[in-house]
Amino acid sequence: MNTIDAENLAFLTKGIKTIIIKSNRLFYIAFYIYHLYKNDFKKGFQDFRFVILLISIIMGLYSVIELAWLKFNSPSAQAILTFLNSFLLDPGIAYGWWPPLLWPHQLRSIFREPSYFGIASLFILPFLWSYIIEKKHVVLSGFFITYFTLMIFATNSRTAVILTFIACFLLLFSIAFVRQKEFTKSVLLIEVFTVYAFGFNLIQFHSISQSTIISAISPNFFIIIFSLFILFLTIQLSQKVQKKPPMKYVLVSIIILSVSSACLFGIKNSDIKISALYTTGLKISTQIQSYIKENVLSVNGLGQRSNGARYAIFYAQCNTTKEHPIVGVGNGLTSAYTYHHLPTYSINNPEVIGWNKVLLEKGFYHSSYPAVNKYTLLAAENGLTGLLIYLLPFIYFFVILFTTAKSRLLVKIHPQLVLLAISLFCLLAAGLSSAKFSELTGILLGLLFCALHVSRNNQN
């Protein structure tokens, strides 16, 4: 057997393995979870939540070091990160530079890049929210949720930030769907935690001198402590059954947060007096606008961040699908077609140049363009037929959830179902910017079908 035949056989074997195992792994996971927990959705949810809590704690502990470097420019934290990342991340394994040993200005925790952490956090966060919904360890859970949400905002990843905002909006919208007072109180409390996390992430401690911090915080020590006290009071009140939701305490908490945040944000420049509320208000507004512009609005426009390179791949894969709309070009073969369909403007794009260089050096069988969109990649590889087959289970679930009375009753009994549905929607939306961790949707899909199975078999 000559070398060419050996390479073709190896590629054929790899293709068969991809089709049988990798491409369907998501559905294997969903089916296995359904098989295990179809008669006990609650146990399945609790089992996965326990494991997810342990993983999120590990991520949080690692990010303490990362935040010390990002927020305080700690040389010790930088040295520890350099040591740990050299073993954990295998720096420079792809394209000669990715992933970098250190990622300035963006938190990525134990993942190779910030957007990966963002996608994983969309899976984790609703499970953490469930502790508040179920009123379990509310104080401890509240502070950890605030910290974990701060980690998400510290990624400065557009995927993470935008989808976290969407998840919070859907959580608010779910109040009208569930229509339970206790659920409403818990949701409002979660939103307060999110506001706190967003505000604290905007503080750049490394740009503030120690003397300025002391002189600024000292006269405002009472208001900062009072803010934390109101937050603690809000948490405590959420655990008690009352005739009306403690809306006034939530509103007071937000107002106090705004005032205390104004005091903190006002200390960034020593020449601005923190007593000038108008000035500090402008500073807060500027910081928020800058953050939103950089991490949300920057998704629009080819010149923004990595948009040009991403759109080039998107454009090329769409054109590949147009040429092969029914069954696509086959798994692992899109790069050869993508290369010839890249738009003219991308020839001078630094990222695209780097991808093309590696691709031409290693060959199309041994290298590929990054998967910047799950759905255009699926359509190019497997055609519109394959894309539709992939999406059918998810479409079926959401149709059943929103159209059957029994499902709405199940949501009132198990509000966790709403959290899982929000997580599933956000992970599917994350596929528009990355194909990573799609297997996580298999876990959610399996648990959600377990819940639907319970609703069918329990008429009462």
Side-chain angles (χ1 to χ4, degrees), residues 132 135 138-139 181-182 184-186 189 193 229-253:
I132 304 298
K135 293 182 171 49
V138 176
V139 176
K181 290 183 179 180
E182 292 303 312
T184 300
K185 291 190 290 184
S186 299
L189 192 59
F193 295 148
F229 171 74
I230 292 296
L231 176 61
F232 178 80
L233 180 63
T234 306
I235 296 171
Q236 291 297 320
L237 287 172
S238 70
Q239 300 179 80
K240 300 178 182 180
V241 179
Q242 297 184 350
K243 293 181 179 180
K244 295 182 179 180
M247 286 293 297
K248 59 182 179 180
Y249 297 103
V250 175
L251 293 174
V252 169
S253 179

PDB file of all heavy atoms in Angstrom, residues 132 135 138-139 181-182 184-186 189 193 229-253:
ATOM      1  N   ILE A 132     -30.932  29.683  44.904  1.00  0.00           N
ATOM      2  CA  ILE A 132     -31.756  30.806  45.348  1.00  0.00           C
ATOM      3  C   ILE A 132     -33.229  30.487  45.137  1.00  0.00           C
ATOM      4  O   ILE A 132     -34.072  30.785  45.999  1.00  0.00           O
ATOM      5  CB  ILE A 132     -31.369  32.089  44.589  1.00  0.00           C
ATOM      6  CG1 ILE A 132     -29.874  32.381  44.757  1.00  0.00           C
ATOM      7  CG2 ILE A 132     -32.206  33.267  45.074  1.00  0.00           C
ATOM      8  CD1 ILE A 132     -29.447  32.622  46.177  1.00  0.00           C
ATOM      9  N   LYS A 135     -34.212  28.311  47.759  1.00  0.00           N
ATOM     10  CA  LYS A 135     -33.924  28.897  49.073  1.00  0.00           C
ATOM     11  C   LYS A 135     -33.032  27.987  49.915  1.00  0.00           C
ATOM     12  O   LYS A 135     -33.288  27.727  51.091  1.00  0.00           O
ATOM     13  CB  LYS A 135     -35.226  29.223  49.808  1.00  0.00           C
ATOM     14  CG  LYS A 135     -36.002  30.346  49.133  1.00  0.00           C
ATOM     15  CD  LYS A 135     -37.262  30.695  49.874  1.00  0.00           C
ATOM     16  CE  LYS A 135     -37.881  31.948  49.309  1.00  0.00           C
ATOM     17  NZ  LYS A 135     -38.011  31.970  47.846  1.00  0.00           N
ATOM     18  N   VAL A 138     -29.050  30.470  51.179  1.00  0.00           N
ATOM     19  CA  VAL A 138     -29.256  31.653  50.354  1.00  0.00           C
ATOM     20  C   VAL A 138     -28.132  32.674  50.510  1.00  0.00           C
ATOM     21  O   VAL A 138     -27.660  33.236  49.511  1.00  0.00           O
ATOM     22  CB  VAL A 138     -30.614  32.304  50.682  1.00  0.00           C
ATOM     23  CG1 VAL A 138     -30.793  33.592  49.901  1.00  0.00           C
ATOM     24  CG2 VAL A 138     -31.748  31.341  50.360  1.00  0.00           C
ATOM     25  N   VAL A 139     -27.672  32.910  51.728  1.00  0.00           N
ATOM     26  CA  VAL A 139     -26.625  33.917  51.942  1.00  0.00           C
ATOM     27  C   VAL A 139     -25.336  33.491  51.260  1.00  0.00           C
ATOM     28  O   VAL A 139     -24.742  34.239  50.467  1.00  0.00           O
ATOM     29  CB  VAL A 139     -26.395  34.141  53.443  1.00  0.00           C
ATOM     30  CG1 VAL A 139     -25.237  35.103  53.662  1.00  0.00           C
ATOM     31  CG2 VAL A 139     -27.658  34.670  54.112  1.00  0.00           C
ATOM     32  N   LYS A 181     -45.253  33.883  43.611  1.00  0.00           N
ATOM     33  CA  LYS A 181     -44.661  34.966  44.382  1.00  0.00           C
ATOM     34  C   LYS A 181     -43.249  34.636  44.837  1.00  0.00           C
ATOM     35  O   LYS A 181     -42.345  35.470  44.751  1.00  0.00           O
ATOM     36  CB  LYS A 181     -45.543  35.289  45.587  1.00  0.00           C
ATOM     37  CG  LYS A 181     -46.873  35.950  45.226  1.00  0.00           C
ATOM     38  CD  LYS A 181     -47.656  36.316  46.471  1.00  0.00           C
ATOM     39  CE  LYS A 181     -48.970  37.002  46.100  1.00  0.00           C
ATOM     40  NZ  LYS A 181     -49.753  37.363  47.310  1.00  0.00           N
ATOM     41  N   GLU A 182     -43.052  33.417  45.335  1.00  0.00           N
ATOM     42  CA  GLU A 182     -41.736  33.048  45.832  1.00  0.00           C
ATOM     43  C   GLU A 182     -40.713  33.016  44.699  1.00  0.00           C
ATOM     44  O   GLU A 182     -39.562  33.414  44.867  1.00  0.00           O
ATOM     45  CB  GLU A 182     -41.801  31.686  46.530  1.00  0.00           C
ATOM     46  CG  GLU A 182     -42.594  31.686  47.824  1.00  0.00           C
ATOM     47  CD  GLU A 182     -42.044  32.696  48.819  1.00  0.00           C
ATOM     48  OE1 GLU A 182     -40.816  32.721  49.034  1.00  0.00           O
ATOM     49  OE2 GLU A 182     -42.843  33.486  49.369  1.00  0.00           O
ATOM     50  N   THR A 184     -40.879  34.853  42.013  1.00  0.00           N
ATOM     51  CA  THR A 184     -40.641  36.254  41.657  1.00  0.00           C
ATOM     52  C   THR A 184     -39.611  36.889  42.585  1.00  0.00           C
ATOM     53  O   THR A 184     -38.694  37.585  42.137  1.00  0.00           O
ATOM     54  CB  THR A 184     -41.956  37.050  41.721  1.00  0.00           C
ATOM     55  OG1 THR A 184     -42.899  36.480  40.807  1.00  0.00           O
ATOM     56  CG2 THR A 184     -41.725  38.515  41.376  1.00  0.00           C
ATOM     57  N   LYS A 185     -39.746  36.652  43.890  1.00  0.00           N
ATOM     58  CA  LYS A 185     -38.795  37.213  44.854  1.00  0.00           C
ATOM     59  C   LYS A 185     -37.390  36.688  44.597  1.00  0.00           C
ATOM     60  O   LYS A 185     -36.408  37.444  44.646  1.00  0.00           O
ATOM     61  CB  LYS A 185     -39.238  36.880  46.279  1.00  0.00           C
ATOM     62  CG  LYS A 185     -40.498  37.595  46.727  1.00  0.00           C
ATOM     63  CD  LYS A 185     -40.740  37.411  48.219  1.00  0.00           C
ATOM     64  CE  LYS A 185     -41.136  35.978  48.534  1.00  0.00           C
ATOM     65  NZ  LYS A 185     -41.455  35.822  49.979  1.00  0.00           N
ATOM     66  N   SER A 186     -37.294  35.405  44.320  1.00  0.00           N
ATOM     67  CA  SER A 186     -35.980  34.807  44.078  1.00  0.00           C
ATOM     68  C   SER A 186     -35.338  35.369  42.815  1.00  0.00           C
ATOM     69  O   SER A 186     -34.139  35.654  42.787  1.00  0.00           O
ATOM     70  CB  SER A 186     -36.118  33.285  43.962  1.00  0.00           C
ATOM     71  OG  SER A 186     -36.620  32.725  45.151  1.00  0.00           O
ATOM     72  N   LEU A 189     -34.021  38.811  43.394  1.00  0.00           N
ATOM     73  CA  LEU A 189     -32.797  38.733  44.191  1.00  0.00           C
ATOM     74  C   LEU A 189     -31.605  38.374  43.312  1.00  0.00           C
ATOM     75  O   LEU A 189     -30.522  38.952  43.442  1.00  0.00           O
ATOM     76  CB  LEU A 189     -32.987  37.686  45.289  1.00  0.00           C
ATOM     77  CG  LEU A 189     -31.932  37.652  46.408  1.00  0.00           C
ATOM     78  CD1 LEU A 189     -31.870  38.987  47.126  1.00  0.00           C
ATOM     79  CD2 LEU A 189     -32.252  36.539  47.384  1.00  0.00           C
ATOM     80  N   PHE A 193     -28.045  40.483  42.549  1.00  0.00           N
ATOM     81  CA  PHE A 193     -26.685  39.937  42.563  1.00  0.00           C
ATOM     82  C   PHE A 193     -25.952  40.268  41.263  1.00  0.00           C
ATOM     83  O   PHE A 193     -24.762  40.591  41.272  1.00  0.00           O
ATOM     84  CB  PHE A 193     -26.727  38.411  42.747  1.00  0.00           C
ATOM     85  CG  PHE A 193     -27.283  37.965  44.070  1.00  0.00           C
ATOM     86  CD1 PHE A 193     -27.992  36.781  44.171  1.00  0.00           C
ATOM     87  CD2 PHE A 193     -27.089  38.717  45.209  1.00  0.00           C
ATOM     88  CE1 PHE A 193     -28.503  36.353  45.384  1.00  0.00           C
ATOM     89  CE2 PHE A 193     -27.598  38.313  46.431  1.00  0.00           C
ATOM     90  CZ  PHE A 193     -28.312  37.121  46.521  1.00  0.00           C
ATOM     91  N   PHE A 229     -25.109  45.754  54.178  1.00  0.00           N
ATOM     92  CA  PHE A 229     -26.128  45.349  55.148  1.00  0.00           C
ATOM     93  C   PHE A 229     -27.496  45.226  54.481  1.00  0.00           C
ATOM     94  O   PHE A 229     -28.254  44.295  54.735  1.00  0.00           O
ATOM     95  CB  PHE A 229     -26.193  46.365  56.289  1.00  0.00           C
ATOM     96  CG  PHE A 229     -27.373  46.146  57.217  1.00  0.00           C
ATOM     97  CD1 PHE A 229     -27.369  45.097  58.120  1.00  0.00           C
ATOM     98  CD2 PHE A 229     -28.485  46.986  57.164  1.00  0.00           C
ATOM     99  CE1 PHE A 229     -28.459  44.889  58.960  1.00  0.00           C
ATOM    100  CE2 PHE A 229     -29.559  46.787  57.987  1.00  0.00           C
ATOM    101  CZ  PHE A 229     -29.547  45.736  58.902  1.00  0.00           C
ATOM    102  N   ILE A 230     -27.817  46.180  53.582  1.00  0.00           N
ATOM    103  CA  ILE A 230     -29.100  46.130  52.879  1.00  0.00           C
ATOM    104  C   ILE A 230     -29.163  44.892  51.988  1.00  0.00           C
ATOM    105  O   ILE A 230     -30.196  44.221  51.897  1.00  0.00           O
ATOM    106  CB  ILE A 230     -29.312  47.411  52.050  1.00  0.00           C
ATOM    107  CG1 ILE A 230     -29.501  48.622  52.988  1.00  0.00           C
ATOM    108  CG2 ILE A 230     -30.518  47.276  51.126  1.00  0.00           C
ATOM    109  CD1 ILE A 230     -30.756  48.538  53.841  1.00  0.00           C
ATOM    110  N   LEU A 231     -28.039  44.589  51.341  1.00  0.00           N
ATOM    111  CA  LEU A 231     -28.007  43.376  50.518  1.00  0.00           C
ATOM    112  C   LEU A 231     -28.238  42.135  51.376  1.00  0.00           C
ATOM    113  O   LEU A 231     -29.012  41.248  51.021  1.00  0.00           O
ATOM    114  CB  LEU A 231     -26.663  43.270  49.794  1.00  0.00           C
ATOM    115  CG  LEU A 231     -26.452  41.994  48.963  1.00  0.00           C
ATOM    116  CD1 LEU A 231     -27.496  41.902  47.856  1.00  0.00           C
ATOM    117  CD2 LEU A 231     -25.055  41.958  48.383  1.00  0.00           C
ATOM    118  N   PHE A 232     -27.572  42.083  52.533  1.00  0.00           N
ATOM    119  CA  PHE A 232     -27.747  40.951  53.440  1.00  0.00           C
ATOM    120  C   PHE A 232     -29.195  40.872  53.925  1.00  0.00           C
ATOM    121  O   PHE A 232     -29.782  39.783  54.002  1.00  0.00           O
ATOM    122  CB  PHE A 232     -26.796  41.105  54.632  1.00  0.00           C
ATOM    123  CG  PHE A 232     -26.931  40.010  55.665  1.00  0.00           C
ATOM    124  CD1 PHE A 232     -26.331  38.780  55.459  1.00  0.00           C
ATOM    125  CD2 PHE A 232     -27.660  40.222  56.824  1.00  0.00           C
ATOM    126  CE1 PHE A 232     -26.457  37.773  56.398  1.00  0.00           C
ATOM    127  CE2 PHE A 232     -27.795  39.212  57.771  1.00  0.00           C
ATOM    128  CZ  PHE A 232     -27.182  37.988  57.559  1.00  0.00           C
ATOM    129  N   LEU A 233     -29.790  42.023  54.235  1.00  0.00           N
ATOM    130  CA  LEU A 233     -31.178  42.057  54.687  1.00  0.00           C
ATOM    131  C   LEU A 233     -32.116  41.555  53.585  1.00  0.00           C
ATOM    132  O   LEU A 233     -33.065  40.806  53.859  1.00  0.00           O
ATOM    133  CB  LEU A 233     -31.556  43.492  55.083  1.00  0.00           C
ATOM    134  CG  LEU A 233     -33.000  43.704  55.585  1.00  0.00           C
ATOM    135  CD1 LEU A 233     -33.221  42.916  56.880  1.00  0.00           C
ATOM    136  CD2 LEU A 233     -33.272  45.181  55.817  1.00  0.00           C
ATOM    137  N   THR A 234     -31.829  41.945  52.360  1.00  0.00           N
ATOM    138  CA  THR A 234     -32.648  41.483  51.230  1.00  0.00           C
ATOM    139  C   THR A 234     -32.603  39.972  51.111  1.00  0.00           C
ATOM    140  O   THR A 234     -33.618  39.314  50.880  1.00  0.00           O
ATOM    141  CB  THR A 234     -32.144  42.119  49.922  1.00  0.00           C
ATOM    142  OG1 THR A 234     -32.109  43.539  50.082  1.00  0.00           O
ATOM    143  CG2 THR A 234     -33.056  41.767  48.759  1.00  0.00           C
ATOM    144  N   ILE A 235     -31.408  39.422  51.265  1.00  0.00           N
ATOM    145  CA  ILE A 235     -31.254  37.961  51.190  1.00  0.00           C
ATOM    146  C   ILE A 235     -32.042  37.280  52.299  1.00  0.00           C
ATOM    147  O   ILE A 235     -32.745  36.288  52.079  1.00  0.00           O
ATOM    148  CB  ILE A 235     -29.764  37.586  51.269  1.00  0.00           C
ATOM    149  CG1 ILE A 235     -29.020  38.142  50.058  1.00  0.00           C
ATOM    150  CG2 ILE A 235     -29.598  36.068  51.323  1.00  0.00           C
ATOM    151  CD1 ILE A 235     -27.512  37.999  50.162  1.00  0.00           C
ATOM    152  N   GLN A 236     -31.926  37.821  53.511  1.00  0.00           N
ATOM    153  CA  GLN A 236     -32.624  37.204  54.641  1.00  0.00           C
ATOM    154  C   GLN A 236     -34.136  37.252  54.470  1.00  0.00           C
ATOM    155  O   GLN A 236     -34.840  36.288  54.739  1.00  0.00           O
ATOM    156  CB  GLN A 236     -32.221  37.902  55.944  1.00  0.00           C
ATOM    157  CG  GLN A 236     -30.773  37.647  56.364  1.00  0.00           C
ATOM    158  CD  GLN A 236     -30.527  36.185  56.662  1.00  0.00           C
ATOM    159  OE1 GLN A 236     -31.354  35.505  57.266  1.00  0.00           O
ATOM    160  NE2 GLN A 236     -29.397  35.679  56.222  1.00  0.00           N
ATOM    161  N   LEU A 237     -34.631  38.376  53.988  1.00  0.00           N
ATOM    162  CA  LEU A 237     -36.071  38.517  53.805  1.00  0.00           C
ATOM    163  C   LEU A 237     -36.606  37.576  52.734  1.00  0.00           C
ATOM    164  O   LEU A 237     -37.760  37.160  52.777  1.00  0.00           O
ATOM    165  CB  LEU A 237     -36.412  39.964  53.439  1.00  0.00           C
ATOM    166  CG  LEU A 237     -36.291  40.972  54.587  1.00  0.00           C
ATOM    167  CD1 LEU A 237     -36.460  42.391  54.069  1.00  0.00           C
ATOM    168  CD2 LEU A 237     -37.344  40.698  55.657  1.00  0.00           C
ATOM    169  N   SER A 238     -35.756  37.250  51.786  1.00  0.00           N
ATOM    170  CA  SER A 238     -36.212  36.353  50.711  1.00  0.00           C
ATOM    171  C   SER A 238     -36.471  34.945  51.213  1.00  0.00           C
ATOM    172  O   SER A 238     -37.144  34.164  50.554  1.00  0.00           O
ATOM    173  CB  SER A 238     -35.160  36.305  49.605  1.00  0.00           C
ATOM    174  OG  SER A 238     -34.019  35.614  50.047  1.00  0.00           O
ATOM    175  N   GLN A 239     -35.932  34.614  52.391  1.00  0.00           N
ATOM    176  CA  GLN A 239     -36.115  33.275  52.925  1.00  0.00           C
ATOM    177  C   GLN A 239     -37.431  33.141  53.696  1.00  0.00           C
ATOM    178  O   GLN A 239     -37.856  32.040  54.019  1.00  0.00           O
ATOM    179  CB  GLN A 239     -34.953  32.918  53.865  1.00  0.00           C
ATOM    180  CG  GLN A 239     -33.591  32.940  53.177  1.00  0.00           C
ATOM    181  CD  GLN A 239     -32.481  32.614  54.144  1.00  0.00           C
ATOM    182  OE1 GLN A 239     -32.238  31.472  54.460  1.00  0.00           O
ATOM    183  NE2 GLN A 239     -31.808  33.634  54.626  1.00  0.00           N
ATOM    184  N   LYS A 240     -38.038  34.255  53.995  1.00  0.00           N
ATOM    185  CA  LYS A 240     -39.246  34.226  54.797  1.00  0.00           C
ATOM    186  C   LYS A 240     -40.484  34.361  53.922  1.00  0.00           C
ATOM    187  O   LYS A 240     -40.490  35.122  52.962  1.00  0.00           O
ATOM    188  CB  LYS A 240     -39.221  35.360  55.833  1.00  0.00           C
ATOM    189  CG  LYS A 240     -38.034  35.250  56.785  1.00  0.00           C
ATOM    190  CD  LYS A 240     -38.017  36.415  57.764  1.00  0.00           C
ATOM    191  CE  LYS A 240     -36.807  36.321  58.688  1.00  0.00           C
ATOM    192  NZ  LYS A 240     -36.774  37.445  59.642  1.00  0.00           N
ATOM    193  N   VAL A 241     -41.507  33.664  54.257  1.00  0.00           N
ATOM    194  CA  VAL A 241     -42.754  33.740  53.499  1.00  0.00           C
ATOM    195  C   VAL A 241     -43.523  34.970  53.969  1.00  0.00           C
ATOM    196  O   VAL A 241     -43.889  35.089  55.134  1.00  0.00           O
ATOM    197  CB  VAL A 241     -43.614  32.483  53.708  1.00  0.00           C
ATOM    198  CG1 VAL A 241     -44.922  32.599  52.929  1.00  0.00           C
ATOM    199  CG2 VAL A 241     -42.852  31.253  53.270  1.00  0.00           C
ATOM    200  N   GLN A 242     -43.789  35.896  53.038  1.00  0.00           N
ATOM    201  CA  GLN A 242     -44.518  37.104  53.355  1.00  0.00           C
ATOM    202  C   GLN A 242     -45.703  37.248  52.408  1.00  0.00           C
ATOM    203  O   GLN A 242     -45.758  36.626  51.359  1.00  0.00           O
ATOM    204  CB  GLN A 242     -43.600  38.324  53.221  1.00  0.00           C
ATOM    205  CG  GLN A 242     -42.433  38.289  54.198  1.00  0.00           C
ATOM    206  CD  GLN A 242     -41.602  39.555  54.092  1.00  0.00           C
ATOM    207  OE1 GLN A 242     -41.781  40.354  53.182  1.00  0.00           O
ATOM    208  NE2 GLN A 242     -40.706  39.736  55.032  1.00  0.00           N
ATOM    209  N   LYS A 243     -46.609  38.090  52.795  1.00  0.00           N
ATOM    210  CA  LYS A 243     -47.784  38.293  51.958  1.00  0.00           C
ATOM    211  C   LYS A 243     -47.418  38.982  50.643  1.00  0.00           C
ATOM    212  O   LYS A 243     -48.012  38.744  49.619  1.00  0.00           O
ATOM    213  CB  LYS A 243     -48.829  39.129  52.711  1.00  0.00           C
ATOM    214  CG  LYS A 243     -49.416  38.397  53.917  1.00  0.00           C
ATOM    215  CD  LYS A 243     -50.462  39.257  54.596  1.00  0.00           C
ATOM    216  CE  LYS A 243     -51.080  38.518  55.793  1.00  0.00           C
ATOM    217  NZ  LYS A 243     -52.096  39.337  56.477  1.00  0.00           N
ATOM    218  N   LYS A 244     -46.458  39.865  50.704  1.00  0.00           N
ATOM    219  CA  LYS A 244     -46.037  40.573  49.503  1.00  0.00           C
ATOM    220  C   LYS A 244     -44.523  40.413  49.343  1.00  0.00           C
ATOM    221  O   LYS A 244     -43.790  40.356  50.319  1.00  0.00           O
ATOM    222  CB  LYS A 244     -46.378  42.065  49.605  1.00  0.00           C
ATOM    223  CG  LYS A 244     -47.866  42.352  49.645  1.00  0.00           C
ATOM    224  CD  LYS A 244     -48.113  43.844  49.685  1.00  0.00           C
ATOM    225  CE  LYS A 244     -49.607  44.148  49.691  1.00  0.00           C
ATOM    226  NZ  LYS A 244     -49.865  45.601  49.734  1.00  0.00           N
ATOM    227  N   PRO A 245     -44.069  40.358  48.094  1.00  0.00           N
ATOM    228  CA  PRO A 245     -42.623  40.284  47.867  1.00  0.00           C
ATOM    229  C   PRO A 245     -41.937  41.535  48.416  1.00  0.00           C
ATOM    230  O   PRO A 245     -42.497  42.626  48.343  1.00  0.00           O
ATOM    231  CB  PRO A 245     -42.508  40.225  46.336  1.00  0.00           C
ATOM    232  CG  PRO A 245     -43.862  39.780  45.874  1.00  0.00           C
ATOM    233  CD  PRO A 245     -44.845  40.325  46.867  1.00  0.00           C
ATOM    234  N   PRO A 246     -40.735  41.404  48.976  1.00  0.00           N
ATOM    235  CA  PRO A 246     -40.040  42.557  49.568  1.00  0.00           C
ATOM    236  C   PRO A 246     -39.460  43.481  48.518  1.00  0.00           C
ATOM    237  O   PRO A 246     -38.258  43.705  48.451  1.00  0.00           O
ATOM    238  CB  PRO A 246     -38.936  41.876  50.387  1.00  0.00           C
ATOM    239  CG  PRO A 246     -38.641  40.623  49.637  1.00  0.00           C
ATOM    240  CD  PRO A 246     -39.952  40.180  49.066  1.00  0.00           C
ATOM    241  N   MET A 247     -40.325  44.034  47.663  1.00  0.00           N
ATOM    242  CA  MET A 247     -39.872  44.875  46.562  1.00  0.00           C
ATOM    243  C   MET A 247     -39.153  46.123  47.063  1.00  0.00           C
ATOM    244  O   MET A 247     -38.162  46.557  46.488  1.00  0.00           O
ATOM    245  CB  MET A 247     -41.064  45.281  45.696  1.00  0.00           C
ATOM    246  CG  MET A 247     -41.604  44.161  44.830  1.00  0.00           C
ATOM    247  SD  MET A 247     -40.411  43.689  43.569  1.00  0.00           S
ATOM    248  CE  MET A 247     -40.324  45.214  42.633  1.00  0.00           C
ATOM    249  N   LYS A 248     -39.667  46.691  48.155  1.00  0.00           N
ATOM    250  CA  LYS A 248     -39.068  47.938  48.627  1.00  0.00           C
ATOM    251  C   LYS A 248     -37.627  47.729  49.081  1.00  0.00           C
ATOM    252  O   LYS A 248     -36.770  48.597  48.903  1.00  0.00           O
ATOM    253  CB  LYS A 248     -39.901  48.542  49.761  1.00  0.00           C
ATOM    254  CG  LYS A 248     -40.068  47.633  50.967  1.00  0.00           C
ATOM    255  CD  LYS A 248     -40.961  48.309  52.012  1.00  0.00           C
ATOM    256  CE  LYS A 248     -41.163  47.408  53.240  1.00  0.00           C
ATOM    257  NZ  LYS A 248     -42.022  48.052  54.240  1.00  0.00           N
ATOM    258  N   TYR A 249     -37.346  46.534  49.638  1.00  0.00           N
ATOM    259  CA  TYR A 249     -35.989  46.260  50.076  1.00  0.00           C
ATOM    260  C   TYR A 249     -35.050  46.050  48.887  1.00  0.00           C
ATOM    261  O   TYR A 249     -33.884  46.431  48.914  1.00  0.00           O
ATOM    262  CB  TYR A 249     -35.968  45.035  50.987  1.00  0.00           C
ATOM    263  CG  TYR A 249     -36.766  45.236  52.253  1.00  0.00           C
ATOM    264  CD1 TYR A 249     -38.026  44.667  52.395  1.00  0.00           C
ATOM    265  CD2 TYR A 249     -36.263  46.011  53.294  1.00  0.00           C
ATOM    266  CE1 TYR A 249     -38.767  44.858  53.544  1.00  0.00           C
ATOM    267  CE2 TYR A 249     -36.988  46.206  54.452  1.00  0.00           C
ATOM    268  CZ  TYR A 249     -38.256  45.631  54.576  1.00  0.00           C
ATOM    269  OH  TYR A 249     -38.983  45.817  55.705  1.00  0.00           O
ATOM    270  N   VAL A 250     -35.593  45.432  47.851  1.00  0.00           N
ATOM    271  CA  VAL A 250     -34.798  45.248  46.639  1.00  0.00           C
ATOM    272  C   VAL A 250     -34.459  46.606  46.025  1.00  0.00           C
ATOM    273  O   VAL A 250     -33.319  46.871  45.620  1.00  0.00           O
ATOM    274  CB  VAL A 250     -35.551  44.372  45.615  1.00  0.00           C
ATOM    275  CG1 VAL A 250     -34.771  44.290  44.311  1.00  0.00           C
ATOM    276  CG2 VAL A 250     -35.791  42.972  46.170  1.00  0.00           C
ATOM    277  N   LEU A 251     -35.460  47.506  45.960  1.00  0.00           N
ATOM    278  CA  LEU A 251     -35.241  48.825  45.381  1.00  0.00           C
ATOM    279  C   LEU A 251     -34.254  49.634  46.220  1.00  0.00           C
ATOM    280  O   LEU A 251     -33.368  50.304  45.682  1.00  0.00           O
ATOM    281  CB  LEU A 251     -36.572  49.574  45.273  1.00  0.00           C
ATOM    282  CG  LEU A 251     -37.577  48.995  44.267  1.00  0.00           C
ATOM    283  CD1 LEU A 251     -38.909  49.738  44.356  1.00  0.00           C
ATOM    284  CD2 LEU A 251     -37.028  49.078  42.847  1.00  0.00           C
ATOM    285  N   VAL A 252     -34.404  49.564  47.539  1.00  0.00           N
ATOM    286  CA  VAL A 252     -33.473  50.272  48.423  1.00  0.00           C
ATOM    287  C   VAL A 252     -32.057  49.744  48.227  1.00  0.00           C
ATOM    288  O   VAL A 252     -31.078  50.501  48.181  1.00  0.00           O
ATOM    289  CB  VAL A 252     -33.911  50.133  49.898  1.00  0.00           C
ATOM    290  CG1 VAL A 252     -32.811  50.639  50.827  1.00  0.00           C
ATOM    291  CG2 VAL A 252     -35.188  50.915  50.137  1.00  0.00           C
ATOM    292  N   SER A 253     -31.940  48.429  48.075  1.00  0.00           N
ATOM    293  CA  SER A 253     -30.627  47.817  47.865  1.00  0.00           C
ATOM    294  C   SER A 253     -29.971  48.349  46.597  1.00  0.00           C
ATOM    295  O   SER A 253     -28.783  48.674  46.585  1.00  0.00           O
ATOM    296  CB  SER A 253     -30.773  46.293  47.785  1.00  0.00           C
ATOM    297  OG  SER A 253     -29.538  45.681  47.552  1.00  0.00           O
TER     298      SER A 253
END
